Amino acid sequence: MDIFSGVGEFFLGIWNAIDKALIRDNRYEYYLGGISNTLIISLFAVLLGFLIGVLIAVIKFLCSRKKHIGFLAKICDLYVFVIRGTPVLVQLLLINAIFFCYRDANTLLAAIVCFGINSGAYVAEIVRAGIESIDKGQMEAGRSLGLSSVQTMRLIILPQAIKNILPALGNEFIVLVKETSIAGYIAVTDITKAAQYIGSKTYDIITPLLIAAAFYLILVFVLTKLQRLLERRFGKSDRR
Amino acid sequence: MIDVKGLTKSFGKLDVLKGIDEHIYKGEKVVIIGPSGSGKSTFLRCLNLMETPTGGEIIVEGESITDPKANVNLIRRKMGMVFQHFNLFPHMTILRNITLAPTTLKLMTGEEADKTAMELLERVGLADKADSYPNMLSGGQKQRIAIVRALAMKPDVMLFDEPTSALDPEMVGEVLDLMKTLAEDGMTMVVVTHEMGFAREVASRVLFMDDGQVVEQASPEEFFSNPKSPRLKDFLSKVL
């Protein structure tokens, strides 16, 4: 009898904790708000990071043969050096303090811009490696047909390069999604911040944080599936 | 058609071409032979500016292409090139490989390009491969596709850079046969090759290059039966 009541109390305790952290006073609404912010930041930061990364890598590649615009490559190198050399949290606080210090500033935008710029530096290095992995005969073949270097890049080199770097890119995006959990530092209510807020109300921080962790897990799981799907799509020409 | 005057090319301190004067007439089939390192590939690659000449002038149909203001991409449209390693685009179907340049450069509509490509594929007996990817093909088939891809741009001259050197012996024949047909159709061709049989049979003129210079040139009968310079005699005694 004692065992049964013991087990019963245990589950009742868990239920109470979940009830307190998730359901009572419509607290799940906080999580939903947090989830939506985390998704918005992640999605746009990934897009921005990818754009910046590809742009930087392509500029560096094209500048390497044209000496009169070599200074552009120097600027790109400086960007990668600074961004990779400083912590993302410091970048977040700095960008927020410099560009978003006015009243009613859109901190969500600040987070998107910061994470996008940060990710861009890493993506640039990944894409550069991808471009360099393509045989230089591909560029020659494209150019010999009369295509410009930019057309050859866009139609021939990049599609192959991106196929080669999909695993590394997927990795980078997964890291980025989890890094957005520091957005709370500039008062963005992402899922982590929402969990902390609930914890401060209920004097139980562990349950909300576990709920937040579960959400990140699901998000990364979906991203991994998406990555596999893309890899299969790009791998079409590998059939023999 | 192509006028080469005092062409030189150096890679750093290494002088690969030491002043070449040559004239290639319309409809001519010029075959260039010589030991490796003699500069024959570099000479060929200078003709469509795959390599930028260090000095001298190249005039194609009255237009100086070594002029810094010359539009390289326009010039290359009229000069097809075939590479030792085929350099097909592995992420595209055979049909797309062929139609890419004509459609991207807006020389043909999609339908026209498809039609032209299918006609050419029909001619080389590879129409059934239109929807395959390059890595499903044998080396000989790949090289024939590469030739078709260059022909789809309707070039005035075709440059061949050791087109059979990367092929298994039993596939050399099919590629050479296609090149012979092309020669019979009156195409202007410049061919760098080690295939002496091809030179003897198809060439209107054979050039022997050694140490960055054209050492000797003659009609194929004269060239093979009555070589004059000791260097050529030595070379022929080794390869024949």
Side-chain angles (χ1 to χ4, degrees):
Chain A
M1 205 59 186
D2 267 357
I3 297 168
F4 279 119
S5 69
V7 170
E9 255 170 51
F10 176 71
F11 280 110
L12 201 65
I14 290 180
W15 169 249
N16 267 333
I18 292 176
D19 176 47
K20 218 164 53 170
L22 195 61
I23 298 165
R24 210 173 296 164
D25 300 335
N26 287 349
R27 281 181 185 141
Y28 56 86
E29 285 174 1
Y30 283 98
Y31 294 103
L32 289 182
I35 287 172
S36 120
N37 277 344
T38 293
L39 286 177
I40 290 172
I41 297 172
S42 301
L43 179 67
F44 287 102
V46 162
L47 289 178
L48 185 63
F50 185 68
L51 271 177
I52 294 177
V54 170
L55 197 68
I56 297 273
V58 169
I59 288 176
K60 275 183 73 172
F61 181 80
L62 294 180
C63 286
S64 63
R65 313 119 161 268
K66 294 179 181 150
K67 292 197 176 66
H68 58 286
I69 45 172
F71 70 94
L72 273 175
K74 289 260 164 40
I75 295 174
C76 297
D77 281 340
L78 184 69
Y79 160 77
V80 172
F81 173 68
V82 170
I83 297 296
R84 286 207 306 180
T86 54
V88 61
L89 178 54
V90 175
Q91 291 165 16
L92 181 68
L93 293 173
L94 263 178
I95 285 177
N96 190 51
I98 295 172
F99 298 107
F100 295 88
C101 52
Y102 51 88
R103 275 184 67 204
D104 305 323
N106 188 343
T107 51
L108 200 61
L109 186 65
I112 290 171
V113 169
C114 170
F115 289 118
I117 289 177
N118 180 270
S119 181
Y122 293 91
V123 173
E125 286 298 286
I126 295 173
V127 175
R128 185 176 63 88
I131 291 174
E132 281 168 10
S133 74
I134 304 302
D135 184 72
K136 76 179 196 325
Q138 292 288 308
M139 179 54 99
E140 287 183 353
R143 298 304 306 276
S144 80
L145 289 165
L147 300 173
S148 70
S149 54
V150 174
Q151 284 169 328
T152 310
M153 196 48 139
R154 179 168 59 86
L155 297 166
I156 296 164
I157 310 288
L158 277 182
Q160 295 181 62
I162 287 174
K163 178 191 150 202
N164 286 356
I165 59 174
L166 269 180
L169 271 185
N171 205 29
E172 164 59 23
F173 291 154
I174 285 170
V175 169
L176 173 62
V177 165
K178 291 181 296 178
E179 253 174 11
T180 62
S181 63
I182 61 168
Y185 272 95
I186 58 168
V188 174
T189 312
D190 71 326
I191 177 75
T192 308
K193 192 73 184 170
Q196 281 181 307
Y197 176 75
I198 302 284
S200 72
K201 285 224 146 182
T202 60
Y203 302 106
D204 168 20
I205 187 65
I206 294 176
T207 319
L209 282 181
L210 284 176
I211 292 171
F215 166 72
Y216 283 112
L217 266 179
I218 293 169
L219 194 55
V220 169
F221 175 75
V222 172
L223 278 177
T224 312
K225 284 278 170 221
L226 218 64
Q227 183 190 335
R228 294 274 178 281
L229 205 75
L230 270 177
E231 280 174 24
R232 213 169 310 148
R233 171 66 77 70
F234 272 81
K236 220 169 41 179
S237 59
D238 288 340
R239 275 179 306 159
R240 274 163 201 275
Chain B
M1 174 171 202
I2 304 177
D3 216 359
V4 182
K5 292 175 187 163
L7 177 67
T8 58
K9 171 74 187 173
S10 323
F11 294 105
K13 279 187 185 145
L14 187 71
D15 297 328
V16 182
L17 299 180
K18 298 171 180 171
I20 293 181
D21 295 280
E22 204 47 71
H23 195 96
I24 294 158
Y25 296 92
K26 198 165 182 58
E28 247 194 329
K29 295 99 184 67
V30 178
V31 173
I32 306 171
I33 63 172
S36 55
S38 59
K40 52 193 191 310
S41 275
T42 307
F43 171 57
L44 187 79
R45 289 162 56 83
C46 279
L47 293 181
N48 69 346
L49 300 185
M50 281 287 125
E51 305 287 352
T52 316
T54 312
E57 202 180 3
I58 302 172
I59 297 161
V60 178
E61 294 188 331
E63 244 185 291
S64 171
I65 65 169
T66 37
D67 187 330
K69 280 180 292 225
N71 186 336
V72 184
N73 296 330
L74 277 180
I75 294 156
R76 286 185 182 140
R77 286 183 193 181
K78 290 284 136 208
M79 306 176 92
M81 185 160 206
V82 177
F83 301 87
Q84 181 177 359
H85 295 286
F86 332 129
N87 298 344
L88 295 180
F89 309 132
H91 60 303
M92 294 174 180
T93 62
I94 297 305
L95 188 66
R96 188 77 189 116
N97 260 278
I98 301 167
T99 58
L100 177 76
T103 54
T104 306
L105 298 171
K106 305 210 164 45
L107 303 176
M108 296 180 197
T109 65
E111 281 167 33
E112 279 168 7
D114 282 351
K115 198 165 149 274
T116 314
M118 286 314 292
E119 280 168 11
L120 285 167
L121 283 174
E122 209 78 61
R123 248 178 69 189
V124 299
L126 290 171
D128 56 324
K129 301 290 184 193
D131 295 319
S132 307
Y133 284 93
N135 66 8
M136 303 171 187
L137 270 54
S138 73
Q141 291 173 328
K142 280 184 201 173
Q143 194 61 297
R144 278 146 69 201
I145 298 295
I147 293 172
V148 165
R149 179 176 69 179
L151 287 177
M153 290 293 291
K154 304 195 163 73
D156 295 334
V157 53
M158 288 282 285
L159 311 175
F160 294 83
D161 189 2
E162 302 199 21
T164 55
S165 297
L167 294 174
D168 289 342
E170 79 252 44
M171 291 171 183
V172 170
E174 60 188 82
V175 172
L176 291 181
D177 283 345
L178 174 56
M179 288 167 66
K180 277 175 208 161
T181 325
L182 210 56
E184 282 157 16
D185 290 350
M187 175 66 77
T188 312
M189 295 162 71
V190 184
V191 186
V192 170
T193 187
H194 295 292
E195 295 293 331
M196 298 303 149
F198 178 81
R200 207 186 296 245
E201 200 177 328
V202 179
S204 37
R205 187 149 60 97
V206 187
L207 305 189
F208 175 67
M209 277 186 73
D210 190 30
D211 196 26
Q213 281 163 326
V214 177
V215 178
E216 187 167 343
Q217 57 171 300
S219 66
E221 304 82 41
E222 178 78 10
F223 186 90
F224 288 105
S225 57
N226 190 13
K228 290 182 186 68
S229 71
R231 189 68 194 85
L232 175 57
K233 281 179 191 160
D234 182 45
F235 179 78
L236 287 178
S237 72
K238 279 176 191 155
V239 296
L240 289 180

